[in-house]
Amino acid sequence: MKHAAIALVFVALAAPAAAQSVQPVPWAAEQPTARDFRETYPAAALADGVEGSVLLQCLITEQYKLECTVRSEDPPGYGFGAAALQLSRLYVASPEDPRIVIGRRVAVPIRYALY
């Protein structure tokens, strides 16, 4: 099976008083909102002021959803991998995007950032 990389970084702003946004994902018909990122930001990481990044390995299903596993997580031990897996369930790939192929495995980077 071919592997592809969807080379986009999704950034959530987790500081409660700051303006909040998420970079748009051109291949997604639906995606997590800034609120979804805030709600999944690991509490210990937020309390310690730690940002994180995760690389997910995902399969595009027949329903254009993503079935993912954590390929890497930095820093380890804060729960960013589990948080990114929660977010991955909210993505729906666009059937109109020619890069989207049912059954293809894709790499999806997710970044949690504080501003």
Side-chain angles (χ1 to χ4, degrees), residues 13-21 38 114-115:
L13 307 174
Q20 316 253 331
S21 67
R38 286 192 309 274
L114 298 167
Y115 292 107

Side-chain angles (χ1 to χ4, degrees), residues 4-10 27 54-58 66 68-69 71 84 88 91 106-110:
I6 297 177
L8 299 170
V9 176
F10 316 115
W27 56 263
V54 177
L55 183 59
L56 298 176
Q57 184 70 36
C58 304
L66 303 179
C68 302
T69 58
R71 193 162 154 194
S88 73
Y91 285 99
V106 295
V108 178
I110 296 181

Side-chain angles (χ1 to χ4, degrees), residues 7-115:
L8 299 170
V9 176
F10 316 115
V11 179
L13 307 174
Q20 316 253 331
S21 67
V22 175
Q23 293 179 357
V25 180
W27 56 263
E30 296 177 28
Q31 71 181 74
T33 64
R35 181 180 183 168
D36 296 323
F37 273 87
R38 286 192 309 274
E39 289 176 354
T40 61
Y41 207 108
L46 188 58
D48 290 347
V50 174
E51 298 181 345
S53 59
V54 177
L55 183 59
L56 298 176
Q57 184 70 36
C58 304
L59 175 73
I60 300 171
T61 72
E62 289 183 13
Q63 295 78 30
Y64 293 94
K65 297 230 175 208
L66 303 179
E67 287 182 6
C68 302
T69 58
V70 176
R71 193 162 154 194
S72 65
E73 172 183 13
D74 185 48
Y78 274 99
F80 287 110
L85 286 174
Q86 284 183 304
L87 288 179
S88 73
R89 295 181 194 111
L90 302 176
Y91 285 99
V92 177
S94 172
E96 275 82 52
D97 190 313
R99 297 172 290 183
I100 301 302
V101 177
I102 292 171
R104 177 175 277 173
R105 294 197 179 277
V106 295
V108 178
I110 296 181
R111 178 163 167 69
Y112 281 90
L114 298 167
Y115 292 107

